[in-house]
Amino acid sequence: MVMDIKNETKVTMFEFSGLTNDKELVPFLFMFVFLVYLVTLVGNMGIIAIVFVFSSLHTPMYYFLSSLSLVDIFYSSVITPNMLSQIPSLKKSISFLGCAAQCYFFCALGCTEVILLSSMSYDRYVAICHPLHYTLIMTKKKCFGLVLYSSSISFLQSIVQTSCVFSLPFCGSNLIDHFYCDIPPLIRLSCSDNLHCDMVTGGLVAAFGIYTLTTIFISYALIFRSIFRMTSTKSRQKAFSTCSSHIICVSVFVTAIFFVYLRPHSGGFDKQDKVASVFYTAVSPMLNPLIYSLRNQEVKRVLAQALQKHF
């Protein structure tokens, strides 16, 4: 059996099925994805710039927000430019090494974002439940350590997932039923037993998902208990305002990921899977800075101040 696999023609190039085969949708899809990517870059770069420039935003909360924006820029750039080049093209292809690199950075940056969001929930817990000790607990060293931990563990686990998938033999069809190199459709292309890779991928996604959701749920259970004990309506509204942006960002990102990765699949990727994938690869990185900008009074005040000074 091993000799048969070795004698097969090995895959050196992958092709994508893409988002759609409907030619009438191509111009709309291209403009939609292009505008989403443009807003993602401008919005996230804008968040990083105002946090860097304005000293009033040199706090742990905005340090995490600017780190999230930086991750979003790279995370979106791993998939979206290649997706844009594919949409009008008849042949949607990528080299074997290019596919491995895209898969690696996508998994690493996606996981970094998830863990970073859980670190932000811990920051909100300390700010609301222990306001007098906030600066003592959330030091610059601790904030940097949490961001470093988020990226380090994510890039390490991505090595495990990517090496597991690309160590499998690909000797049959090279058509990936998706618009980027994602692990589930790649595993289905393998011409050998892929149960162990399915288990590794599912186990890691479940482990990081449980860790993230547990951290967030515990943090917000303690936060809401503290908020309901507040006597001042103004303090309660301010606390809800700072938490609501984070809750929305987490809900959008995690729901889309869980929909694609942790539900049973019949065979190929359905249209709803691809729509969900577009949401967490392209739309979610765009929404994060918009949600924080529109719902955060401090960010709105600083933006208004910057525009007023400029014009």
Side-chain angles (χ1 to χ4, degrees):
M1 181 66 186
V2 176
M3 289 299 293
D4 289 342
I5 290 172
K6 285 183 177 178
N7 289 333
E8 295 274 358
T9 304
K10 292 185 178 179
V11 170
T12 57
M13 186 81 70
F14 290 106
E15 292 186 7
F16 299 108
S17 62
L19 283 169
T20 182
N21 292 320
D22 190 343
K23 291 181 181 179
E24 292 181 3
L25 281 176
V26 167
F28 167 76
L29 273 176
F30 183 86
M31 285 306 300
F32 172 75
V33 175
F34 175 75
L35 289 173
V36 165
Y37 186 55
L38 187 64
V39 173
T40 300
L41 293 180
V42 172
N44 284 294
M45 285 178 182
I47 290 288
I48 294 168
I50 63 170
V51 171
F52 179 78
V53 170
F54 290 91
S55 57
S56 61
L57 299 182
H58 292 177
T59 63
M61 176 183 172
Y62 295 104
Y63 174 76
F64 284 120
L65 180 56
S66 59
S67 299
L68 182 68
S69 290
L70 185 63
V71 171
D72 276 333
I73 289 170
F74 288 115
Y75 175 70
S76 180
S77 297
V78 169
I79 304 295
T80 313
N82 189 52
M83 193 198 312
L84 281 169
S85 67
Q86 286 177 27
I87 291 171
S89 175
L90 292 174
K91 191 176 182 182
K92 304 169 175 64
S93 60
I94 189 170
S95 68
F96 187 89
L97 288 177
C99 188
Q102 188 184 64
C103 185
Y104 172 73
F105 285 108
F106 170 73
C107 291
L109 291 164
C111 187
T112 302
E113 175 139 351
V114 168
I115 301 176
L116 202 53
L117 286 168
S118 68
S119 299
M120 291 171 77
S121 70
Y122 171 71
D123 170 67
R124 291 298 82 211
Y125 155 72
V126 177
I128 293 169
C129 299
H130 303 283
L132 298 177
H133 301 98
Y134 181 61
T135 53
L136 294 173
I137 298 172
M138 299 304 294
T139 60
K140 286 184 179 179
K141 187 177 180 181
K142 188 167 189 176
C143 292
F144 175 75
L146 286 169
V147 172
L148 184 63
Y149 162 75
S150 301
S151 56
S152 299
I153 197 168
S154 300
F155 277 82
L156 285 171
Q157 69 82 31
S158 187
I159 291 173
V160 176
Q161 288 200 65
T162 309
S163 60
C164 181
V165 172
F166 286 89
S167 64
L168 294 171
F170 296 97
C171 45
S173 171
N174 68 338
L175 180 65
I176 299 173
D177 188 18
H178 213 343
F179 58 88
Y180 69 96
C181 291
D182 198 11
I183 288 175
L186 275 167
I187 288 176
R188 293 190 195 105
L189 288 183
S190 173
C191 52
S192 70
D193 180 30
N194 51 37
L195 180 62
H196 68 288
C197 271
D198 267 326
M199 290 176 68
V200 167
T201 303
L204 285 170
V205 171
F208 281 100
I210 290 167
Y211 165 78
T212 302
L213 292 177
T214 302
T215 305
I216 292 168
F217 283 146
I218 292 173
S219 297
Y220 276 106
L222 296 170
I223 286 169
F224 289 139
R225 187 182 70 173
S226 182
I227 288 173
F228 291 130
R229 287 178 177 176
M230 292 177 181
T231 53
S232 169
T233 307
K234 190 176 180 181
S235 299
R236 197 178 292 177
Q237 286 176 343
K238 186 179 179 182
F240 270 123
S241 177
T242 57
C243 292
S244 60
S245 302
H246 181 256
I247 292 170
I248 293 168
C249 290
V250 170
S251 301
V252 168
F253 190 73
V254 172
T255 302
I257 286 180
F258 278 21
F259 177 83
V260 173
Y261 288 97
L262 295 183
R263 74 183 184 90
H265 292 276
S266 55
F269 254 45
D270 300 325
K271 284 184 179 179
Q272 57 263 36
D273 291 306
K274 291 184 180 181
V275 170
S277 298
V278 169
F279 216 83
Y280 69 74
T281 57
V283 178
S284 182
M286 176 195 72
L287 290 177
N288 288 346
L290 293 178
I291 290 167
Y292 273 99
S293 300
L294 295 173
R295 298 190 64 84
N296 191 296
Q297 295 299 322
E298 184 69 15
V299 172
K300 285 196 283 188
R301 184 186 65 79
V302 165
L303 281 172
Q305 188 180 334
L307 290 170
Q308 191 176 21
K309 189 181 288 185
H310 182 72
F311 291 109

